Amino acid sequence: MQVYLDNNATTMVDPKVVDVMLPFFSELYGNPNSLHKFGTASHPALSKAIDQVYTALNAADADDIVFTSCATESNNWVLQSVFIDHIVNGDKNHIVTTEVEHPSVLSTCKFLEEQGVKVTYLPVNEQGVVEAHVVKSFITDKTALVSIMWASNETGMIFPIKEIGEICKEKGVLFHSDGVQAIGKIPVDLSAVHVDFVSMSAHKFHGPKGIGALYIKDSQKLTPLLHGGEHMGGRRSGTLNVPFIVGMGKAIELATTNMQETMSKIRAKRDRLEDALLELSETFTIGDRENRTPNTILISIRGVEGEGMLWDLNNGEIGASTGSACASADLEANTVMLAIGADNELAHTGIRLSLSRFTTDGEIDYTISHFKDAVARLRAISSSFAKQQPTKGGEAQACEMH
Amino acid sequence: MAKDDLLGASLWDAYSNKVTTLMNNPQHQGEIFQAEAEKRGHKLIVADFGAESCGDAVRLYWEIDPKTDIIVNSKFKSFGCGTAIASSDVMTELCIGKTVAEAVKITNIDVELALRDNPDTPAVPPQKMHCSVMAYDVIKKAAGLYMGVDSESFEEEIIVCECARVSLGTVKEVIRLNNLKTVEQITDYTKAGGFCKSCIRPGGHEAREYYLVDILADTRKEMDEEKMKAAADASASGEAKFENMTLVQQIKAVDAVIDENVRQFLIMDGGNMEVIDIKKGDDYVDIYIRYMGACSGCASSSTSTLYAIESTLKDKLSKNIRVLPI
C-alpha cells in the first residue's frame, strides 16, 4: 500500500478537475483576448470559473480576484507593490509580519529590508499562533502593511484573522493574509472578515499546480507585478491560462461545497491517527486540535530524528514531511520549527502528516502500524535510549554539534 | 547556476547503495556493557558527541584489550539521519581490530571513502558530509578518554573546514599563491566550504571559530599591506620604476627628491614650490609645479632653476620626466 500524507505540500488533482480542464488544451485553445470565435469560445467556462471562486470565498462583485501563477506570485505582488505604492511613493516605511510565514513572504520581506524597509517579524505563542494584541502593539503611523498567514503550513494552526482584520481596519493599515493553507480546509468568508488581500494556490485543494489567485478588496489600487497587456483588467498581464483557471474554479467548488461534512470526515481520520500515534511514549503534537486545520498533525517523537523517520516511512511507501534541518538542502534549521519549538528538539524530531479527502481508513490503519514499527526500529538505534552511560568525561557538552 | 541546478537534486538519490543498506540494517548498532567487558578482562570506553537538541548525537563504545591497546569490539548508538547512522556504522567497523593509536588516525574522509560504492563517486551529497565529521570527533574523544589526554591534542593544526579537513594554513596559502579573490575560488582550490557550508560565514549550520569570508578578507588585507610596504620600500630605495608607481607614490617620491635636493636652495632665496599634479603620457611623465614666495616672478624660475629641478628629478626618478611650472 502507498499512502500520501503530505497534502500540505501539494495534493492530487481531483479527476473531476482534470475532466473539466481537458477540452481547453486541444479543442478550445483560442486566446480569450482574440475577437474571433476561437478566442471567445472559452469565455463561458472562464466566467463560470470566476463565479466558482467568488462563490467559494463569498467575495463581493466589487472585489477583484485576479488569477496568478501561484500564491508565491500573489505574496510577492502584494509585498512588492505595497512597497512601491506606499513606501517608495508614500510616507510609510514599515511592514509587520510573523516569524512563521511561508518563505515567499519571509524572503520577500528580507529583500524589502535590503531596500530600506523596516520589517517586524512577530513571534508566535506556544500554540504556534500570533496573538492579535501583539499585532496591535507593533502597528505604528509608519506601518504600510500587516501580512499574516491564515493558517500555518507546518502546524495547521489557524490564526485570529478576524480580530487582526478589525485591528488593521481601525488603525487604517492594509492587511494581507496568505490563505494557502486555509482555503479548502476551513471556511473562508471574505464578506465576514476585513482583509485587503488574500493569496491562494489551487494545488493545495486538489487543483493543478501553476495556478493561483490574489483577492483584492474593493478593487483597490495595487500596482501590477507583471506589466504588459490588458489581461485581468490590466492587473496581471500574461495570456490567461484557460485550462488551469477552469480547473481552479472546479477545484475550489469541490473543496468548499459541503465542506463541513467533508472536513468532519477528514477530522475523524486525523484524530484517530493522532490518538494512535500519541499512544507511543514521549511524543507530543503541536496545537489544540480545535484551532487546527482538520487535516494536519505535527508530532515530535523523542529520540527519532526527522529525516531518519521520513526515510523509514518512505521505505513503507508513506509520504510525509519533516522540518528537520538535516532534510533541507542547506541544512538550515526550519525557522518555523524553531519559532514554535519548546526547545530545539522539535526542529529535529518533528514529523508532519497532512491528510486529504482522498485519505482512506485503510491508509490510516496501515500508517499507524508502519509508523509504530519505524519508531521502534529507530529508537532501538537511538543514543537517546541507550542504557550504558558514557565513561566519566565522555559525556557530550551542550551543542558541540555538526 | 546552470542547467543541472534547475531541478534541485534529490537528497536520497545521491546516497550510495552502501549508505542505504547500512541505514536500513546497521551492522554494529547496539551497546557493550561495563560488566561484560570487565568479565572478558577488557576496558570499556563510552564517548558521546552531539545532542538530540542539536540534531545529531552519537555514542561510541570501544572494548579494548589493555595489554595490546587493540579495540576488540566496537558498537554505536545514534540519533540522526540515514547518513549519520551509516557513518557511525562504518566508523565502528573501521575501529575494530585497530589499536587506539591507529584508530585516532581515522578521519571523516576515511569514513566517507568506506561508504562509497566505487572510489570515484561520493557516498553522500555535499551537505551530508558533515555527518561523517561527527564520527571522527567521537573517535578522538574516545581515544582521549583511554589515553587520559585532551581530545584536542590529536589535532595538529587548526581545521577551518572539518568536512574536507582543510587547515587554516592551507586556506591562507592558496589565497596567497593563487591570488584568490572569492570564497568560491577557495572552494574550487581546496574543497573547503563545499560541503555543509558552515565555515563560509557566520549563521550557517554550526558556529565556527574561523570563517572563510574573514580569512579571505584578512589575508587580502595582509597581501595589500605587504604590497604597499614593498612598493614604499622600493621607492625609498629607488628601486621601483617611477612610471609604475601609483599617483600617491609618485607624488611622495617627487616630494622626497625635491626636499632632499632642491627645496633648501629655493627657501634660501625666500621662495618655495609645490607639486600640483602629475600626468602620465605615452612618452613623458609631466610634473606640474607652482612656485611660491620670491620664486614666483623670479627670472630664473623658467630657465636655470627649472632646469635644475627637472634634471634632478630625471636623474633620481626617471629620464622621461618633464617639469612644467604653472
Side-chain angles (χ1 to χ4, degrees), chain A residues 303 305 307 311 315 326 331 377 380-382 384 387-388 391 394-396 399-402, chain B residues 12 15 23-24 29 31 34 46 48 52 54 56 59 77-78 127-128 137 141 205-206:
Chain A
E305 193 275 329
E307 191 200 332
W311 173 281
N315 280 348
C326 290
L331 298 174
R377 184 183 95 89
I381 299 173
S382 177
S384 308
K387 292 183 187 71
Q388 173 64 53
T391 309
E395 307 83 6
C399 261
E400 51 187 330
M401 62 163 301
H402 291 285
Chain B
W12 291 348
Y15 292 176
M23 167 56 178
N24 289 336
Q29 177 278 119
E31 297 193 77
Q34 188 71 41
V46 182
D48 276 359
E52 193 171 324
C54 307
D56 267 322
R59 181 169 291 177
K77 286 274 178 180
S78 167
Q127 70 267 33
K128 285 292 185 182
D137 285 326
K141 191 153 171 185
H205 183 57
E206 62 175 19

mmCIF file of all heavy atoms in Angstrom, chain A residues 303 305 307 311 315 326 331 377 380-382 384 387-388 391 394-396 399-402, chain B residues 12 15 23-24 29 31 34 46 48 52 54 56 59 77-78 127-128 137 141 205-206:
data_model
loop_
_atom_site.group_PDB
_atom_site.id
_atom_site.type_symbol
_atom_site.label_atom_id
_atom_site.label_comp_id
_atom_site.label_asym_id
_atom_site.label_seq_id
_atom_site.Cartn_x
_atom_site.Cartn_y
_atom_site.Cartn_z
ATOM 1 N N GLY A 303 13.900 11.117 20.466
ATOM 2 C CA GLY A 303 14.915 10.132 20.127
ATOM 3 C C GLY A 303 14.898 9.679 18.670
ATOM 4 O O GLY A 303 15.702 8.840 18.283
ATOM 5 N N GLU A 305 15.166 11.137 14.882
ATOM 6 C CA GLU A 305 15.452 12.298 14.059
ATOM 7 C C GLU A 305 14.529 12.303 12.840
ATOM 8 O O GLU A 305 14.241 11.259 12.251
ATOM 9 C CB GLU A 305 16.934 12.264 13.650
ATOM 10 C CG GLU A 305 17.449 13.544 13.048
ATOM 11 C CD GLU A 305 17.165 13.629 11.563
ATOM 12 O OE1 GLU A 305 17.131 12.573 10.911
ATOM 13 O OE2 GLU A 305 16.951 14.747 11.078
ATOM 14 N N GLU A 307 14.555 13.280 9.618
ATOM 15 C CA GLU A 307 14.859 12.746 8.288
ATOM 16 C C GLU A 307 14.946 11.224 8.318
ATOM 17 O O GLU A 307 14.528 10.541 7.376
ATOM 18 C CB GLU A 307 16.161 13.329 7.739
ATOM 19 C CG GLU A 307 16.346 12.980 6.260
ATOM 20 C CD GLU A 307 17.784 13.102 5.776
ATOM 21 O OE1 GLU A 307 18.536 13.905 6.335
ATOM 22 O OE2 GLU A 307 18.131 12.368 4.839
ATOM 23 N N TRP A 311 12.671 8.639 6.211
ATOM 24 C CA TRP A 311 13.319 7.570 5.445
ATOM 25 C C TRP A 311 12.578 6.258 5.668
ATOM 26 O O TRP A 311 12.243 5.545 4.718
ATOM 27 C CB TRP A 311 14.769 7.473 5.895
ATOM 28 C CG TRP A 311 15.544 6.323 5.321
ATOM 29 C CD1 TRP A 311 15.499 5.019 5.716
ATOM 30 C CD2 TRP A 311 16.483 6.386 4.244
ATOM 31 N NE1 TRP A 311 16.351 4.256 4.965
ATOM 32 C CE2 TRP A 311 16.970 5.061 4.050
ATOM 33 C CE3 TRP A 311 16.964 7.402 3.433
ATOM 34 C CZ2 TRP A 311 17.917 4.758 3.071
ATOM 35 C CZ3 TRP A 311 17.912 7.094 2.471
ATOM 36 C CH2 TRP A 311 18.384 5.788 2.289
ATOM 37 N N ASN A 315 10.318 4.026 3.158
ATOM 38 C CA ASN A 315 10.520 2.594 2.897
ATOM 39 C C ASN A 315 9.198 1.854 2.949
ATOM 40 O O ASN A 315 9.029 0.829 2.290
ATOM 41 C CB ASN A 315 11.495 1.992 3.920
ATOM 42 C CG ASN A 315 12.946 2.299 3.564
ATOM 43 O OD1 ASN A 315 13.236 2.751 2.457
ATOM 44 N ND2 ASN A 315 13.851 2.064 4.503
ATOM 45 N N CYS A 326 18.289 18.513 8.810
ATOM 46 C CA CYS A 326 19.036 17.513 8.048
ATOM 47 C C CYS A 326 18.409 17.232 6.692
ATOM 48 O O CYS A 326 19.082 16.801 5.773
ATOM 49 C CB CYS A 326 19.114 16.203 8.831
ATOM 50 S SG CYS A 326 20.174 16.329 10.247
ATOM 51 N N LEU A 331 20.803 22.592 5.090
ATOM 52 C CA LEU A 331 20.973 22.205 6.487
ATOM 53 C C LEU A 331 20.566 23.303 7.461
ATOM 54 O O LEU A 331 20.934 23.273 8.617
ATOM 55 C CB LEU A 331 22.435 21.826 6.788
ATOM 56 C CG LEU A 331 22.980 20.638 6.007
ATOM 57 C CD1 LEU A 331 24.456 20.482 6.291
ATOM 58 C CD2 LEU A 331 22.245 19.370 6.389
ATOM 59 N N ARG A 377 12.061 0.733 15.566
ATOM 60 C CA ARG A 377 13.365 0.433 14.970
ATOM 61 C C ARG A 377 14.362 1.556 15.246
ATOM 62 O O ARG A 377 15.495 1.314 15.678
ATOM 63 C CB ARG A 377 13.221 0.245 13.454
ATOM 64 C CG ARG A 377 14.521 -0.164 12.776
ATOM 65 C CD ARG A 377 14.394 -0.285 11.270
ATOM 66 N NE ARG A 377 14.800 0.919 10.574
ATOM 67 C CZ ARG A 377 16.058 1.168 10.179
ATOM 68 N NH1 ARG A 377 17.016 0.285 10.410
ATOM 69 N NH2 ARG A 377 16.357 2.280 9.538
ATOM 70 N N ALA A 380 15.485 1.885 18.788
ATOM 71 C CA ALA A 380 16.433 0.831 19.158
ATOM 72 C C ALA A 380 17.854 1.244 18.788
ATOM 73 O O ALA A 380 18.820 0.846 19.442
ATOM 74 C CB ALA A 380 16.063 -0.476 18.468
ATOM 75 N N ILE A 381 17.994 2.031 17.731
ATOM 76 C CA ILE A 381 19.323 2.505 17.311
ATOM 77 C C ILE A 381 19.705 3.774 18.078
ATOM 78 O O ILE A 381 20.866 4.074 18.277
ATOM 79 C CB ILE A 381 19.322 2.801 15.783
ATOM 80 C CG1 ILE A 381 19.001 1.534 14.983
ATOM 81 C CG2 ILE A 381 20.646 3.404 15.336
ATOM 82 C CD1 ILE A 381 18.811 1.778 13.493
ATOM 83 N N SER A 382 18.713 4.503 18.554
ATOM 84 C CA SER A 382 18.943 5.861 19.055
ATOM 85 C C SER A 382 19.785 5.925 20.322
ATOM 86 O O SER A 382 19.564 5.184 21.280
ATOM 87 C CB SER A 382 17.606 6.532 19.316
ATOM 88 O OG SER A 382 17.826 7.807 19.860
ATOM 89 N N SER A 384 19.545 8.256 22.300
ATOM 90 C CA SER A 384 18.689 8.841 23.340
ATOM 91 C C SER A 384 18.169 7.782 24.305
ATOM 92 O O SER A 384 17.775 8.109 25.419
ATOM 93 C CB SER A 384 17.506 9.550 22.703
ATOM 94 O OG SER A 384 17.934 10.449 21.718
ATOM 95 N N LYS A 387 21.440 2.600 27.330
ATOM 96 C CA LYS A 387 21.443 2.376 28.782
ATOM 97 C C LYS A 387 22.822 2.556 29.400
ATOM 98 O O LYS A 387 22.958 3.111 30.480
ATOM 99 C CB LYS A 387 20.916 0.971 29.087
ATOM 100 C CG LYS A 387 19.437 0.811 28.766
ATOM 101 C CD LYS A 387 18.940 -0.578 29.150
ATOM 102 C CE LYS A 387 17.513 -0.799 28.669
ATOM 103 N NZ LYS A 387 17.455 -0.945 27.176
ATOM 104 N N GLN A 388 23.864 2.040 28.747
ATOM 105 C CA GLN A 388 25.211 2.152 29.294
ATOM 106 C C GLN A 388 25.648 3.625 29.246
ATOM 107 O O GLN A 388 25.704 4.212 28.167
ATOM 108 C CB GLN A 388 26.181 1.276 28.487
ATOM 109 C CG GLN A 388 27.646 1.437 28.847
ATOM 110 C CD GLN A 388 27.938 1.009 30.278
ATOM 111 O OE1 GLN A 388 27.594 -0.092 30.697
ATOM 112 N NE2 GLN A 388 28.551 1.905 31.049
ATOM 113 N N THR A 391 31.662 6.837 29.670
ATOM 114 C CA THR A 391 32.807 6.857 30.571
ATOM 115 C C THR A 391 32.907 8.255 31.169
ATOM 116 O O THR A 391 32.586 9.229 30.496
ATOM 117 C CB THR A 391 34.091 6.560 29.761
ATOM 118 O OG1 THR A 391 33.864 5.375 28.994
ATOM 119 C CG2 THR A 391 35.300 6.380 30.658
ATOM 120 N N GLY A 394 33.305 11.462 29.242
ATOM 121 C CA GLY A 394 32.903 11.199 27.859
ATOM 122 C C GLY A 394 31.535 11.732 27.504
ATOM 123 O O GLY A 394 31.035 11.521 26.396
ATOM 124 N N GLU A 395 30.911 12.449 28.468
ATOM 125 C CA GLU A 395 29.585 12.996 28.185
ATOM 126 C C GLU A 395 29.716 14.124 27.154
ATOM 127 O O GLU A 395 30.724 14.825 27.114
ATOM 128 C CB GLU A 395 28.952 13.564 29.471
ATOM 129 C CG GLU A 395 28.909 12.603 30.647
ATOM 130 C CD GLU A 395 30.210 12.538 31.429
ATOM 131 O OE1 GLU A 395 31.132 13.319 31.149
ATOM 132 O OE2 GLU A 395 30.314 11.670 32.322
ATOM 133 N N ALA A 396 28.674 14.296 26.369
ATOM 134 C CA ALA A 396 28.698 15.369 25.374
ATOM 135 C C ALA A 396 28.457 16.701 26.071
ATOM 136 O O ALA A 396 27.641 16.803 26.972
ATOM 137 C CB ALA A 396 27.612 15.146 24.328
ATOM 138 N N CYS A 399 25.530 21.121 22.707
ATOM 139 C CA CYS A 399 25.674 21.563 21.331
ATOM 140 C C CYS A 399 27.067 21.853 20.809
ATOM 141 O O CYS A 399 27.411 22.971 20.486
ATOM 142 C CB CYS A 399 24.768 22.764 21.047
ATOM 143 S SG CYS A 399 23.275 22.220 20.234
ATOM 144 N N GLU A 400 27.909 20.795 20.751
ATOM 145 C CA GLU A 400 29.172 20.943 20.029
ATOM 146 C C GLU A 400 28.937 20.328 18.650
ATOM 147 O O GLU A 400 29.765 19.654 18.097
ATOM 148 C CB GLU A 400 30.279 20.186 20.768
ATOM 149 C CG GLU A 400 29.900 18.751 21.076
ATOM 150 C CD GLU A 400 30.897 18.036 21.953
ATOM 151 O OE1 GLU A 400 32.074 18.381 21.860
ATOM 152 O OE2 GLU A 400 30.506 17.140 22.708
ATOM 153 N N MET A 401 27.763 20.573 18.158
ATOM 154 C CA MET A 401 27.170 19.763 17.095
ATOM 155 C C MET A 401 27.781 19.923 15.717
ATOM 156 O O MET A 401 28.513 20.837 15.446
ATOM 157 C CB MET A 401 25.723 20.156 16.980
ATOM 158 C CG MET A 401 25.604 21.624 16.601
ATOM 159 S SD MET A 401 23.998 22.002 15.981
ATOM 160 C CE MET A 401 23.917 20.902 14.629
ATOM 161 N N HIS A 402 27.379 18.945 14.873
ATOM 162 C CA HIS A 402 27.649 19.033 13.445
ATOM 163 C C HIS A 402 26.373 18.774 12.713
ATOM 164 O O HIS A 402 25.594 17.967 13.125
ATOM 165 C CB HIS A 402 28.695 18.020 13.044
ATOM 166 C CG HIS A 402 30.027 18.367 13.594
ATOM 167 N ND1 HIS A 402 30.796 19.375 13.077
ATOM 168 C CD2 HIS A 402 30.688 17.909 14.665
ATOM 169 C CE1 HIS A 402 31.891 19.483 13.798
ATOM 170 N NE2 HIS A 402 31.850 18.610 14.768
ATOM 171 N N TRP B 12 18.175 11.925 -1.271
ATOM 172 C CA TRP B 12 18.328 10.496 -1.041
ATOM 173 C C TRP B 12 18.884 9.760 -2.253
ATOM 174 O O TRP B 12 19.584 8.759 -2.099
ATOM 175 C CB TRP B 12 16.981 9.880 -0.614
ATOM 176 C CG TRP B 12 16.551 10.318 0.754
ATOM 177 C CD1 TRP B 12 17.307 10.978 1.674
ATOM 178 C CD2 TRP B 12 15.261 10.120 1.351
ATOM 179 N NE1 TRP B 12 16.572 11.211 2.813
ATOM 180 C CE2 TRP B 12 15.315 10.696 2.642
ATOM 181 C CE3 TRP B 12 14.074 9.529 0.934
ATOM 182 C CZ2 TRP B 12 14.213 10.697 3.516
ATOM 183 C CZ3 TRP B 12 12.995 9.516 1.800
ATOM 184 C CH2 TRP B 12 13.060 10.092 3.077
ATOM 185 N N TYR B 15 22.648 9.223 -2.209
ATOM 186 C CA TYR B 15 23.310 8.325 -1.264
ATOM 187 C C TYR B 15 23.812 7.093 -2.007
ATOM 188 O O TYR B 15 23.154 6.574 -2.910
ATOM 189 C CB TYR B 15 22.324 7.838 -0.179
ATOM 190 C CG TYR B 15 21.842 8.892 0.795
ATOM 191 C CD1 TYR B 15 20.890 8.575 1.748
ATOM 192 C CD2 TYR B 15 22.330 10.202 0.760
ATOM 193 C CE1 TYR B 15 20.428 9.538 2.651
ATOM 194 C CE2 TYR B 15 21.877 11.167 1.658
ATOM 195 C CZ TYR B 15 20.926 10.821 2.608
ATOM 196 O OH TYR B 15 20.469 11.749 3.490
ATOM 197 N N MET B 23 21.931 2.125 6.523
ATOM 198 C CA MET B 23 20.853 2.823 7.228
ATOM 199 C C MET B 23 19.713 1.848 7.526
ATOM 200 O O MET B 23 19.155 1.828 8.612
ATOM 201 C CB MET B 23 20.342 3.987 6.371
ATOM 202 C CG MET B 23 19.023 4.588 6.839
ATOM 203 S SD MET B 23 19.058 5.143 8.574
ATOM 204 C CE MET B 23 17.420 5.822 8.757
ATOM 205 N N ASN B 24 19.399 1.033 6.533
ATOM 206 C CA ASN B 24 18.296 0.099 6.719
ATOM 207 C C ASN B 24 18.651 -1.045 7.659
ATOM 208 O O ASN B 24 17.777 -1.623 8.298
ATOM 209 C CB ASN B 24 17.848 -0.476 5.365
ATOM 210 C CG ASN B 24 17.129 0.571 4.530
ATOM 211 O OD1 ASN B 24 16.571 1.534 5.071
ATOM 212 N ND2 ASN B 24 17.141 0.399 3.216
ATOM 213 N N GLN B 29 25.193 -1.615 15.358
ATOM 214 C CA GLN B 29 24.330 -0.874 16.253
ATOM 215 C C GLN B 29 24.124 -1.686 17.510
ATOM 216 O O GLN B 29 23.920 -2.899 17.450
ATOM 217 C CB GLN B 29 23.009 -0.629 15.504
ATOM 218 C CG GLN B 29 21.923 0.065 16.256
ATOM 219 C CD GLN B 29 21.116 -0.835 17.157
ATOM 220 O OE1 GLN B 29 21.096 -0.617 18.351
ATOM 221 N NE2 GLN B 29 20.469 -1.859 16.596
ATOM 222 N N GLU B 31 24.849 -1.938 22.129
ATOM 223 C CA GLU B 31 25.620 -1.452 23.272
ATOM 224 C C GLU B 31 26.588 -2.533 23.752
ATOM 225 O O GLU B 31 26.377 -3.727 23.524
ATOM 226 C CB GLU B 31 24.685 -1.088 24.432
ATOM 227 C CG GLU B 31 23.739 0.045 24.093
ATOM 228 C CD GLU B 31 23.052 0.589 25.336
ATOM 229 O OE1 GLU B 31 23.718 1.339 26.078
ATOM 230 O OE2 GLU B 31 21.868 0.279 25.559
ATOM 231 N N GLN B 34 29.491 -2.427 30.696
ATOM 232 C CA GLN B 34 30.666 -2.437 31.567
ATOM 233 C C GLN B 34 30.962 -3.841 32.110
ATOM 234 O O GLN B 34 32.080 -4.339 31.980
ATOM 235 C CB GLN B 34 30.407 -1.463 32.735
ATOM 236 C CG GLN B 34 31.595 -1.202 33.622
ATOM 237 C CD GLN B 34 32.641 -0.354 32.919
ATOM 238 O OE1 GLN B 34 32.321 0.601 32.222
ATOM 239 N NE2 GLN B 34 33.910 -0.714 33.076
ATOM 240 N N VAL B 46 33.218 4.574 26.646
ATOM 241 C CA VAL B 46 31.972 5.029 26.017
ATOM 242 C C VAL B 46 32.039 6.544 25.902
ATOM 243 O O VAL B 46 32.212 7.241 26.905
ATOM 244 C CB VAL B 46 30.737 4.620 26.853
ATOM 245 C CG1 VAL B 46 29.454 5.060 26.150
ATOM 246 C CG2 VAL B 46 30.717 3.116 27.082
ATOM 247 N N ASP B 48 30.324 10.171 24.087
ATOM 248 C CA ASP B 48 29.196 10.823 23.401
ATOM 249 C C ASP B 48 29.691 12.006 22.586
ATOM 250 O O ASP B 48 30.632 12.688 22.995
ATOM 251 C CB ASP B 48 28.202 11.384 24.440
ATOM 252 C CG ASP B 48 27.215 10.324 24.917
ATOM 253 O OD1 ASP B 48 27.307 9.187 24.417
ATOM 254 O OD2 ASP B 48 26.383 10.640 25.774
ATOM 255 N N GLU B 52 20.702 15.533 21.151
ATOM 256 C CA GLU B 52 19.437 15.465 20.408
ATOM 257 C C GLU B 52 18.963 16.866 20.010
ATOM 258 O O GLU B 52 18.469 17.086 18.909
ATOM 259 C CB GLU B 52 18.383 14.771 21.270
ATOM 260 C CG GLU B 52 17.166 14.372 20.494
ATOM 261 C CD GLU B 52 16.231 13.499 21.315
ATOM 262 O OE1 GLU B 52 16.702 12.679 22.121
ATOM 263 O OE2 GLU B 52 15.029 13.638 21.127
ATOM 264 N N CYS B 54 20.652 19.265 19.230
ATOM 265 C CA CYS B 54 21.480 19.810 18.151
ATOM 266 C C CYS B 54 21.132 19.173 16.809
ATOM 267 O O CYS B 54 21.561 19.655 15.766
ATOM 268 C CB CYS B 54 22.955 19.538 18.393
ATOM 269 S SG CYS B 54 23.562 20.047 19.978
ATOM 270 N N ASP B 56 21.900 15.933 15.978
ATOM 271 C CA ASP B 56 22.737 14.753 15.745
ATOM 272 C C ASP B 56 23.385 14.364 17.056
ATOM 273 O O ASP B 56 23.897 15.233 17.756
ATOM 274 C CB ASP B 56 23.886 15.102 14.789
ATOM 275 C CG ASP B 56 23.531 14.814 13.342
ATOM 276 O OD1 ASP B 56 22.867 13.797 13.110
ATOM 277 O OD2 ASP B 56 23.934 15.587 12.463
ATOM 278 N N ARG B 59 26.835 7.854 20.243
ATOM 279 C CA ARG B 59 27.532 7.272 21.392
ATOM 280 C C ARG B 59 28.367 6.121 20.858
ATOM 281 O O ARG B 59 27.846 5.219 20.200
ATOM 282 C CB ARG B 59 26.529 6.797 22.446
ATOM 283 C CG ARG B 59 27.186 6.195 23.685
ATOM 284 C CD ARG B 59 26.195 5.992 24.816
ATOM 285 N NE ARG B 59 25.741 7.270 25.354
ATOM 286 C CZ ARG B 59 24.825 7.390 26.320
ATOM 287 N NH1 ARG B 59 24.274 6.307 26.848
ATOM 288 N NH2 ARG B 59 24.467 8.575 26.754
ATOM 289 N N LYS B 77 25.480 3.911 19.114
ATOM 290 C CA LYS B 77 24.064 4.302 19.144
ATOM 291 C C LYS B 77 24.001 5.672 18.506
ATOM 292 O O LYS B 77 24.895 6.503 18.722
ATOM 293 C CB LYS B 77 23.549 4.386 20.585
ATOM 294 C CG LYS B 77 23.330 3.034 21.232
ATOM 295 C CD LYS B 77 21.943 2.524 20.890
ATOM 296 C CE LYS B 77 21.708 1.145 21.495
ATOM 297 N NZ LYS B 77 20.353 0.660 21.151
ATOM 298 N N SER B 78 22.968 5.936 17.737
ATOM 299 C CA SER B 78 22.936 7.213 17.031
ATOM 300 C C SER B 78 21.537 7.804 16.965
ATOM 301 O O SER B 78 20.576 7.105 16.668
ATOM 302 C CB SER B 78 23.475 7.024 15.608
ATOM 303 O OG SER B 78 23.196 8.151 14.817
ATOM 304 N N GLN B 127 26.218 18.381 1.270
ATOM 305 C CA GLN B 127 25.763 18.926 2.555
ATOM 306 C C GLN B 127 25.672 17.855 3.635
ATOM 307 O O GLN B 127 25.488 18.169 4.810
ATOM 308 C CB GLN B 127 24.425 19.650 2.399
ATOM 309 C CG GLN B 127 23.230 18.783 2.125
ATOM 310 C CD GLN B 127 22.961 18.622 0.638
ATOM 311 O OE1 GLN B 127 23.886 18.608 -0.162
ATOM 312 N NE2 GLN B 127 21.704 18.494 0.251
ATOM 313 N N LYS B 128 25.793 16.562 3.235
ATOM 314 C CA LYS B 128 25.708 15.476 4.218
ATOM 315 C C LYS B 128 27.085 15.029 4.705
ATOM 316 O O LYS B 128 27.194 14.148 5.556
ATOM 317 C CB LYS B 128 24.976 14.275 3.602
ATOM 318 C CG LYS B 128 23.483 14.495 3.492
ATOM 319 C CD LYS B 128 22.845 14.532 4.865
ATOM 320 C CE LYS B 128 21.342 14.632 4.790
ATOM 321 N NZ LYS B 128 20.749 14.715 6.127
ATOM 322 N N ASP B 137 35.018 13.057 15.293
ATOM 323 C CA ASP B 137 35.071 13.741 16.590
ATOM 324 C C ASP B 137 34.905 12.777 17.753
ATOM 325 O O ASP B 137 35.575 12.903 18.775
ATOM 326 C CB ASP B 137 33.976 14.819 16.657
ATOM 327 C CG ASP B 137 34.340 16.042 15.832
ATOM 328 O OD1 ASP B 137 35.527 16.367 15.760
ATOM 329 O OD2 ASP B 137 33.432 16.661 15.255
ATOM 330 N N LYS B 141 37.450 11.688 20.862
ATOM 331 C CA LYS B 141 37.034 11.803 22.256
ATOM 332 C C LYS B 141 37.277 10.480 23.000
ATOM 333 O O LYS B 141 37.812 10.482 24.109
ATOM 334 C CB LYS B 141 35.556 12.178 22.296
ATOM 335 C CG LYS B 141 35.094 12.585 23.663
ATOM 336 C CD LYS B 141 33.924 13.517 23.554
ATOM 337 C CE LYS B 141 33.318 13.754 24.906
ATOM 338 N NZ LYS B 141 32.107 14.553 24.807
ATOM 339 N N HIS B 205 25.077 26.185 9.447
ATOM 340 C CA HIS B 205 24.590 25.042 10.214
ATOM 341 C C HIS B 205 25.162 25.006 11.621
ATOM 342 O O HIS B 205 24.507 24.628 12.571
ATOM 343 C CB HIS B 205 24.936 23.767 9.444
ATOM 344 C CG HIS B 205 24.434 22.519 10.098
ATOM 345 N ND1 HIS B 205 23.112 22.331 10.384
ATOM 346 C CD2 HIS B 205 25.100 21.421 10.548
ATOM 347 C CE1 HIS B 205 22.973 21.141 10.971
ATOM 348 N NE2 HIS B 205 24.158 20.581 11.085
ATOM 349 N N GLU B 206 26.413 25.362 11.781
ATOM 350 C CA GLU B 206 27.008 25.360 13.115
ATOM 351 C C GLU B 206 27.963 26.543 13.237
ATOM 352 O O GLU B 206 28.485 27.038 12.240
ATOM 353 C CB GLU B 206 27.760 24.054 13.364
ATOM 354 C CG GLU B 206 28.921 23.860 12.402
ATOM 355 C CD GLU B 206 29.729 22.629 12.721
ATOM 356 O OE1 GLU B 206 29.231 21.766 13.415
ATOM 357 O OE2 GLU B 206 30.882 22.554 12.266
#
